[in-house]
Amino acid sequence: MKQAFAVLVLAACAISPVATATAQANTYVGVGGCGPCHKTVSSGNQIGSWSSTKHAQAYVALTTAKANDIAKAKGLAKPAVESPECLECHVITATVAADSKFNPKEGVQCETCHGPGSAYKGMSVMKDHAKAVAAGMVDLKDKAKAEALCVKCHNSRSPTMKEFKFEEQLAKSAHPKPKA
């Protein structure tokens, strides 16, 4: 019985887009957990780069009258900011554990793409890319993998979707660390 359960768990993790993080039961730490290291000059001020993107304002966009008009036109029963159909792309997830340090108002933030950061946020882990990935960080160096993640939200299901040009959008969202 235990072996069958283990096989099911492994199969579920293999399907998950953030399989490693899910398997390790990492929790979300929010921008506050990433910021202390990723807002420095030596990191390329990655938090500063992110904060100037539409991703950082994704949740706020749901609080507008325009978003509510779109939600109503789509037949949603709740305002956009309360609708799971909207939250699933404008916030990491509508079901993040209440005990995490996650703030939905941060919108589409670090962990949306890189996975829950509790196990890899430490400096000793983050200094070693392989260790960070092993601890659950989603490695997006593979552009095909990154694009597959992006199109989960940037697709025809989005009522405001325009043509998604991955390379163009990647450049707008890029936050590289400067070479040492």
Side-chain angles (χ1 to χ4, degrees):
M1 182 68 161
K2 286 182 182 180
Q3 287 178 330
F5 179 73
V7 169
L8 286 173
V9 169
L10 288 173
C13 290
I15 296 168
S16 170
V18 287
T20 306
T22 303
Q24 295 181 2
N26 287 351
T27 57
Y28 291 93
V29 298
V31 173
C34 303
C37 298
H38 293 281
K39 66 181 177 185
T40 65
V41 173
S42 63
S43 77
N45 189 16
Q46 293 164 322
I47 296 295
S49 296
W50 162 80
S51 67
S52 67
T53 68
K54 288 184 178 181
H55 283 150
Q57 300 303 313
Y59 177 88
V60 174
L62 294 180
T63 66
T64 66
K66 179 181 178 182
N68 287 332
D69 290 344
I70 292 168
K72 192 178 288 184
K74 286 300 218 179
L76 302 181
K78 298 178 180 180
V81 76
E82 296 174 21
S83 295
E85 298 89 344
C86 301
L87 291 168
E88 73 180 301
C89 286
H90 285 257
V91 177
I92 287 177
T93 178
T95 58
V96 172
D99 63 349
S100 73
K101 294 179 181 160
F102 168 73
N103 177 356
K105 293 179 181 175
E106 293 173 345
V108 177
Q109 49 97 319
C110 316
E111 295 161 299
T112 306
C113 303
H114 298 289
S118 62
Y120 67 80
K121 70 175 185 147
M123 180 67 79
S124 63
V125 177
M126 286 300 289
K127 281 188 172 189
D128 182 332
H129 186 78
K131 274 188 187 178
V133 170
M137 184 183 83
V138 177
D139 187 356
L140 296 171
K141 287 184 177 182
D142 176 345
K143 285 189 177 182
K145 186 176 183 178
E147 185 173 10
L149 181 66
C150 295
V151 299
K152 287 182 179 184
C153 290
H154 295 277
N155 61 49
S156 61
R157 283 188 17 188
S158 169
T160 60
M161 176 63 190
K162 296 177 178 74
E163 181 183 4
F164 182 67
K165 297 177 181 176
F166 173 71
E167 292 291 336
E168 192 176 295
Q169 295 305 316
L170 182 64
K172 288 181 181 179
S173 295
H175 48 277
K177 183 176 178 183
K179 303 228 185 263

